[in-house]
Coordinates of all heavy atoms in Angstrom, one line a residue:
Chain A
E895 N 63.7 -46.6 -38.8 CA 64.8 -47.5 -38.9 C 64.3 -48.9 -38.6 O 63.7 -49.1 -37.6 CB 65.9 -47.1 -37.9 CG 66.4 -45.7 -38.0 CD 67.1 -45.2 -36.7 OE1 66.3 -44.7 -35.9 OE2 68.3 -45.4 -36.6
N896 N 64.5 -49.8 -39.5 CA 64.1 -51.2 -39.4 C 62.6 -51.3 -38.9 O 62.3 -52.0 -37.9 CB 65.0 -51.9 -38.4 CG 66.5 -51.9 -38.8 OD1 66.8 -52.4 -39.8 ND2 67.3 -51.2 -38.0
P897 N 61.7 -50.7 -39.6 CA 60.3 -50.6 -39.1 C 59.7 -52.0 -39.0 O 58.8 -52.3 -38.2 CB 59.6 -49.8 -40.2 CG 60.5 -49.7 -41.4 CD 61.9 -49.9 -40.9
D898 N 60.2 -53.0 -39.9 CA 59.6 -54.3 -39.8 C 59.9 -55.0 -38.5 O 59.1 -55.6 -37.8 CB 60.1 -55.2 -41.0 CG 61.6 -55.2 -41.1 OD1 62.3 -54.3 -40.5 OD2 62.1 -56.1 -41.8
L899 N 61.2 -54.8 -38.0 CA 61.6 -55.4 -36.7 C 60.9 -54.7 -35.6 O 60.6 -55.3 -34.6 CB 63.1 -55.2 -36.6 CG 64.0 -56.4 -36.9 CD1 65.5 -56.0 -36.7 CD2 63.7 -57.6 -36.1
F900 N 60.8 -53.4 -35.8 CA 60.2 -52.5 -34.7 C 58.7 -53.1 -34.5 O 58.3 -53.3 -33.3 CB 60.1 -51.1 -35.2 CG 59.7 -50.1 -34.1 CD1 60.3 -50.1 -32.9 CD2 58.8 -49.1 -34.4 CE1 59.9 -49.2 -31.9 CE2 58.4 -48.2 -33.4 CZ 59.0 -48.3 -32.1
A901 N 58.0 -53.3 -35.6 CA 56.6 -53.8 -35.4 C 56.6 -55.2 -34.9 O 55.8 -55.5 -34.0 CB 55.9 -53.7 -36.8
A902 N 57.4 -56.1 -35.4 CA 57.4 -57.5 -35.0 C 57.8 -57.7 -33.6 O 57.3 -58.6 -32.9 CB 58.3 -58.3 -36.0
T903 N 58.6 -56.8 -33.1 CA 59.1 -57.0 -31.7 C 58.0 -56.6 -30.7 O 58.0 -57.0 -29.6 CB 60.4 -56.1 -31.5 OG1 61.3 -56.5 -32.4 CG2 60.9 -56.3 -30.1
Q904 N 57.1 -55.7 -31.1 CA 56.0 -55.3 -30.2 C 54.9 -56.4 -30.2 O 54.2 -56.6 -31.2 CB 55.4 -54.0 -30.7 CG 56.3 -52.9 -30.6 CD 55.8 -51.6 -31.3 OE1 54.6 -51.3 -31.3 NE2 56.7 -50.9 -32.0
G905 N 54.9 -57.2 -29.2 CA 54.1 -58.4 -29.1 C 54.8 -59.6 -29.6 O 54.2 -60.7 -29.6
G906 N 56.0 -59.5 -29.9 CA 56.8 -60.6 -30.5 C 57.3 -61.6 -29.5 O 58.1 -62.5 -29.9
M907 N 57.0 -61.5 -28.2 CA 57.4 -62.4 -27.2 C 58.8 -62.7 -27.1 O 59.2 -63.8 -26.8 CB 56.5 -63.7 -27.4 CG 55.0 -63.5 -27.4 SD 54.4 -62.5 -26.1 CE 54.6 -63.6 -24.7
G908 N 59.7 -61.8 -27.5 CA 61.1 -61.9 -27.4 C 61.7 -62.8 -28.5 O 62.9 -63.1 -28.4
L909 N 60.9 -63.1 -29.5 CA 61.4 -64.0 -30.5 C 62.1 -63.3 -31.7 O 62.6 -64.0 -32.6 CB 60.2 -64.8 -31.1 CG 59.5 -65.6 -30.0 CD1 58.2 -66.3 -30.6 CD2 60.4 -66.7 -29.4
T910 N 62.2 -62.0 -31.7 CA 62.9 -61.3 -32.7 C 64.4 -60.9 -32.3 O 65.2 -60.6 -33.1 CB 62.2 -60.0 -33.1 OG1 62.1 -59.2 -31.9 CG2 60.9 -60.3 -33.7
G911 N 64.6 -61.0 -31.0 CA 65.9 -60.6 -30.4 C 65.7 -60.2 -29.0 O 64.7 -60.3 -28.4
V912 N 66.8 -59.6 -28.4 CA 66.8 -59.2 -27.0 C 66.7 -57.6 -27.0 O 67.6 -57.0 -27.5 CB 68.0 -59.7 -26.2 CG1 67.9 -59.2 -24.8 CG2 68.0 -61.2 -26.2
I913 N 65.7 -57.1 -26.4 CA 65.5 -55.7 -26.3 C 66.5 -55.2 -25.2 O 66.5 -55.7 -24.1 CB 64.1 -55.3 -25.9 CG1 63.1 -55.9 -26.9 CG2 63.9 -53.8 -25.8 CD1 61.6 -55.8 -26.4
L914 N 67.4 -54.2 -25.6 CA 68.4 -53.7 -24.7 C 67.9 -52.5 -24.0 O 68.1 -52.3 -22.8 CB 69.7 -53.5 -25.4 CG 70.3 -54.7 -26.2 CD1 71.6 -54.2 -26.8 CD2 70.6 -55.8 -25.2
R915 N 67.4 -51.5 -24.9 CA 67.0 -50.2 -24.3 C 65.7 -49.8 -25.1 O 65.5 -50.3 -26.2 CB 68.1 -49.2 -24.6 CG 69.4 -49.5 -24.0 CD 70.4 -48.4 -24.4 NE 71.8 -48.9 -24.2 CZ 72.5 -49.5 -25.1 NH1 72.0 -49.7 -26.3 NH2 73.7 -50.0 -24.8
A916 N 65.0 -48.9 -24.5 CA 63.8 -48.4 -25.1 C 63.6 -46.9 -24.8 O 64.1 -46.4 -23.7 CB 62.6 -49.2 -24.6
T917 N 63.0 -46.2 -25.7 CA 62.7 -44.8 -25.6 C 61.2 -44.6 -25.8 O 60.7 -45.1 -26.8 CB 63.5 -43.9 -26.5 OG1 64.9 -44.1 -26.3 CG2 63.2 -42.4 -26.4
F918 N 60.5 -44.0 -24.9 CA 59.1 -43.9 -25.0 C 58.6 -42.8 -24.2 O 59.3 -42.1 -23.4 CB 58.4 -45.2 -24.5 CG 58.9 -45.7 -23.1 CD1 58.2 -45.3 -22.0 CD2 60.1 -46.4 -23.0 CE1 58.7 -45.7 -20.7 CE2 60.6 -46.8 -21.8 CZ 59.9 -46.5 -20.6
R919 N 57.3 -42.4 -24.5 CA 56.7 -41.3 -23.8 C 56.0 -41.6 -22.6 O 55.3 -42.7 -22.5 CB 55.6 -40.7 -24.8 CG 56.2 -39.7 -25.7 CD 55.0 -38.9 -26.4 NE 55.5 -38.5 -27.7 CZ 55.3 -39.2 -28.8 NH1 54.6 -40.3 -28.8 NH2 55.8 -38.9 -30.0
L920 N 56.0 -40.7 -21.6 CA 55.2 -40.9 -20.4 C 54.1 -39.8 -20.5 O 54.1 -39.0 -21.4 CB 56.0 -40.6 -19.1 CG 57.2 -41.5 -18.9 CD1 58.0 -41.1 -17.6 CD2 56.7 -42.9 -18.7
R921 N 53.1 -40.0 -19.6 CA 51.9 -39.2 -19.7 C 51.9 -38.1 -18.6 O 52.2 -38.5 -17.4 CB 50.7 -40.1 -19.6 CG 49.4 -39.4 -19.1 CD 48.4 -40.5 -18.9 NE 47.1 -39.9 -19.3 CZ 46.3 -40.5 -20.2 NH1 46.6 -41.7 -20.7 NH2 45.2 -39.9 -20.6
P922 N 51.6 -36.9 -18.9 CA 51.6 -35.9 -17.8 C 50.4 -36.0 -17.0 O 49.3 -36.3 -17.5 CB 51.6 -34.5 -18.6 CG 51.0 -34.9 -19.9 CD 51.4 -36.3 -20.2
V923 N 50.6 -36.0 -15.7 CA 49.4 -36.1 -14.7 C 49.6 -35.0 -13.7 O 50.7 -34.6 -13.3 CB 49.3 -37.5 -14.0 CG1 48.9 -38.5 -15.0 CG2 50.6 -37.8 -13.3
E924 N 48.5 -34.5 -13.2 CA 48.5 -33.4 -12.2 C 48.7 -33.8 -10.8 O 49.1 -33.1 -9.9 CB 47.3 -32.5 -12.4 CG 47.3 -31.6 -13.6 CD 46.1 -30.7 -13.7 OE1 45.5 -30.4 -12.7 OE2 45.8 -30.2 -14.8
T925 N 48.2 -35.1 -10.6 CA 48.2 -35.6 -9.2 C 48.5 -37.1 -9.3 O 48.5 -37.7 -10.4 CB 46.9 -35.4 -8.4 OG1 45.9 -36.3 -9.0 CG2 46.4 -34.0 -8.5
D926 N 48.6 -37.8 -8.1 CA 48.8 -39.2 -8.2 C 47.5 -39.9 -7.8 O 47.5 -41.1 -7.5 CB 49.9 -39.6 -7.2 CG 49.6 -39.3 -5.7 OD1 48.5 -38.7 -5.5 OD2 50.5 -39.5 -4.9
L927 N 46.4 -39.2 -7.9 CA 45.1 -39.8 -7.5 C 44.3 -40.0 -8.8 O 44.5 -39.5 -9.9 CB 44.3 -38.9 -6.6 CG 45.0 -38.6 -5.2 CD1 44.2 -37.6 -4.5 CD2 45.1 -39.9 -4.5

Side-chain angles (χ1 to χ4, degrees):
Chain A
E895 302 157 273
N896 305 295
D898 53 342
L899 264 178
F900 190 48
T903 303
Q904 295 171 37
M907 304 310 289
L909 302 175
T910 56
V912 178
I913 304 166
L914 303 179
R915 301 178 198 89
T917 299
F918 50 95
R919 270 193 212 93
L920 300 175
R921 158 186 218 123
V923 293
E924 288 185 18
T925 71
D926 62 3
L927 298 175

